[in-house]
Amino acid sequence: MRLFGRKDADEGAEGPDEAIAGFWAWWQETRPQLDSMVAAGEPEGLEERLSPAVAAIDPGLAYEVAPGKEAAHALVVTAAGDAELRSLAHRWAKAAPPADLLWEFHPSRQANPMAMELTLDVAGFEFALDKLQLGLRVPRNQPRVDVAAYHPIFSELDEESRLEATLLALDWLLGEDDVARWVGEITAVTFEPIDSVAAVHLPAVVADVASGYTEEEWLLLEGQTAGGAPLVATARHPLRPVDHPLFDQHIQVTLPYAHRDENGLPVGDSLAALRDFEERLAARLLKLRDDAVLAAHLSSQGHRVIHVYADPTGDAAIHAKELIVGWEEGEPRVDVSADPAWTAVAPFLT
């Protein structure tokens, strides 16, 4: 496996779609040379050509050439944990040519079935995954596994190097997307945790946790606004951007309501009107299942705010604007913005 880090470069003037199209045009033109370099085992030449091509899409992207699942080789272009770039990496992969016998393409690191046989040089030390031990903790009623990683070489490494090696090992064991889905707090420690297990057992532990979250769930939450006003929210659970990597458009629907209790929360006719609106919105989103998802809604001080995330190439924003036309309790609003990291619903993210 050949791993390449991020490339520092100035942002180009091209938009992301043009940059992605430019990459694939370059790929088709340059592929015979790349095939020859891979066959000849010339990673330096491969890096010399791939680095500027990937950086032209975005300098924050990372990439690697790895063994493929079906093809001989896989080209992985990944956001490397940067939520702001995840949708860009997935759009790059969506625009890729069909896989063939030699190449397949992925927007995130894939789990490697031979992970326990892999060895990586980390700061001059041999990082073998078969010597990696993990302390695992599953918080009560939480869809995640917290990991404390230990390796005999960690006492010789600085904290940043230990953590980078740990993150790479987790990607190889689970796949980058499942790390984002199911792994919570990650620490790299210099003393072996009590009750640690060999790293090979991590996928089974994660699969057991994941089996408890196969059905769609919603959580009812209560709290206060920054000003201290009562707030009630309902949020999808688990709520994770990694499950909807192309949904980087945030659609915020704000509905004022006339009938409220002493805490500013909807009651009576207003509560019925809000439920009716959300049922109609949900029905439209159901038809756009591949293009949009209702993430959360909250009510406070006479307003309900509904958060929808969508693929900006779809029609979810148009549907939302059509639906508010019939709202009769004050002046409704639909605000549309780019939010690839889902920062607008950060308090609700799992």
Side-chain angles (χ1 to χ4, degrees), residues 9-26 52-59 61 85 88 92:
D10 293 331
E11 186 105 26
E14 287 185 321
D17 291 341
E18 291 80 4
I20 289 171
F23 176 92
W24 290 118
W26 168 87
V54 173
I57 305 172
D58 191 284
L61 294 171
L85 295 176
L88 181 62
W92 168 87

Side-chain angles (χ1 to χ4, degrees), residues 1 21 32 111 121 123 285 307:
M1 175 179 292
D121 181 274
L285 294 182
H307 297 280

Side-chain angles (χ1 to χ4, degrees), residues 35-334:
D35 290 351
S36 298
M37 290 173 186
V38 170
E42 299 178 3
E44 292 77 11
L46 196 65
E47 180 176 6
E48 182 180 340
R49 285 162 176 77
L50 276 172
S51 288
V54 173
I57 305 172
D58 191 284
L61 294 171
Y63 69 98
E64 68 183 40
V65 176
K69 293 181 176 180
E70 303 294 336
H73 312 290
L75 176 59
V76 179
V77 171
T78 168
D82 187 341
E84 293 283 344
L85 295 176
R86 183 180 288 118
S87 61
L88 181 62
H90 279 262
R91 286 191 169 86
W92 168 87
K94 189 176 181 180
D100 54 33
L101 292 176
L102 285 179
W103 290 100
E104 61 190 44
F105 309 97
H106 300 288
S108 58
R109 294 190 182 103
Q110 305 297 292
N112 190 326
M114 308 298 291
M116 299 309 298
E117 300 178 17
L118 298 176
T119 299
L120 181 68
D121 181 274
V122 179
F125 295 92
E126 187 177 271
F127 180 68
L129 264 69
D130 62 356
K131 296 181 180 178
L132 183 65
Q133 296 289 119
L134 303 177
L136 304 177
R137 186 174 70 90
V138 180
R140 182 179 178 85
N141 297 325
Q142 292 294 322
R144 75 172 197 260
V145 179
D146 294 333
V147 176
Y150 167 79
H151 194 280
I153 70 168
F154 279 1
S155 61
E156 306 293 335
L157 303 176
D158 59 55
E159 183 176 358
E160 182 178 357
S161 297
R162 293 197 301 268
L163 186 57
E164 286 183 354
T166 298
L167 291 173
L168 186 57
L170 295 179
D171 286 349
W172 284 342
L173 288 164
L174 294 175
E176 184 179 343
D177 287 348
D178 270 354
V179 172
R181 286 186 182 97
W182 302 111
V183 177
E185 182 179 352
I186 302 171
T187 55
V189 298
T190 55
F191 294 93
E192 185 170 350
I194 297 174
D195 297 330
S196 64
V197 298
V200 69
H201 298 296
L202 178 62
V205 174
V206 168
D208 184 59
V209 172
S211 68
Y213 295 90
T214 57
E215 301 294 330
E216 179 179 288
E217 296 183 25
W218 290 83
L219 293 184
L220 178 63
L221 308 167
E222 296 182 355
Q224 293 181 332
T225 66
L231 178 152
V232 173
T234 302
R236 187 180 296 272
H237 180 74
L239 182 61
R240 301 169 297 209
V242 69
D243 291 334
H244 310 282
L246 296 178
F247 294 3
D248 54 4
Q249 181 186 69
H250 176 227
I251 303 167
Q252 178 174 306
V253 181
T254 304
L255 302 175
Y257 49 84
H259 304 280
R260 44 182 155 168
D261 63 16
E262 65 277 7
N263 292 318
L265 301 176
V267 294
D269 291 344
S270 290
L271 185 58
L274 289 168
R275 287 173 175 167
D276 176 69
F277 180 91
E278 289 188 355
E279 286 176 1
R280 289 186 287 120
L281 177 62
R284 295 220 185 182
L285 294 182
L286 187 62
K287 297 178 181 179
L288 303 173
R289 182 176 295 275
D290 294 332
D291 290 327
V293 63
L294 176 60
H297 64 74
L298 56 93
S299 300
S300 181
Q301 297 178 294
H303 290 80
R304 174 159 292 184
V305 179
I306 303 170
H307 297 280
V308 174
Y309 280 86
D311 186 332
T313 64
D315 296 329
I318 295 174
H319 285 280
K321 291 175 181 178
E322 289 176 349
L323 281 173
I324 67 166
V325 172
W327 187 254
E328 298 178 349
E329 300 188 32
E331 190 68 29
R333 290 180 52 185
V334 173

